[in-house]
Amino acid sequence: MKTLIKLLLTALAVIILGYLLPGVGVTSFFTAFIVAVVIALLRLIVKPILVILTLPITIVTFGIFLLFINAIIILIADYFVGGFAVDGIWWALIFSLLLSLFQSLLFALIKDD
């Protein structure tokens, strides 16, 4: 149940960011929910692989490159989900940063059992 609530809150954050950022477009709440699911799956499956493959550059940049890995995950979600559009790596980077911020704020509202 908690996972579903987190997905719904992430979808809400995606919808809000779609309206706030001119380089990001989301057509509906259902599309935002699908984006939230796809991003969660990509973070679960693809992100560990990318982190391992780019470990040397991540160490050299003191972890800053992880921000670009998150932006790449957003661009992959853009590729797979119709109705969700991101206009480049920089908008994906801004979207990723703001999504993480919104998720932190919204997930703080959920009380732990």
Side-chain angles (χ1 to χ4, degrees):
M1 186 67 175
K2 191 178 237 185
T3 303
L4 181 63
I5 292 172
K6 285 185 176 186
L7 285 174
L8 289 172
L9 289 175
T10 301
L12 178 66
V14 169
I15 278 285
I16 291 170
L17 290 173
Y19 286 118
L20 291 178
L21 298 175
V24 178
V26 182
T27 57
S28 67
F29 187 79
F30 180 73
T31 302
F33 184 76
I34 298 299
V35 168
V37 170
V38 169
I39 288 174
L41 289 173
L42 288 172
R43 284 182 179 168
L44 181 70
I45 298 168
V46 176
K47 187 174 180 177
I49 296 168
L50 288 176
V51 168
I52 290 172
L53 291 176
T54 61
L55 191 60
I57 195 167
T58 303
I59 291 171
V60 169
T61 61
F62 299 109
I64 300 292
F65 192 72
L66 292 173
L67 297 173
F68 285 97
I69 290 176
N70 287 336
I72 290 168
I73 288 174
I74 299 299
L75 290 174
I76 293 171
D78 170 31
Y79 177 78
F80 284 116
V81 179
F84 176 63
V86 180
D87 294 336
I89 188 79
W90 296 109
W91 284 114
L93 185 64
I94 293 168
F95 179 83
S96 174
L97 288 170
L98 291 176
L99 181 65
S100 296
L101 177 69
F102 278 11
Q103 282 178 327
S104 297
L105 295 173
L106 292 173
F107 291 174
L109 299 174
I110 301 173
K111 297 189 192 261
D112 291 331
D113 293 331

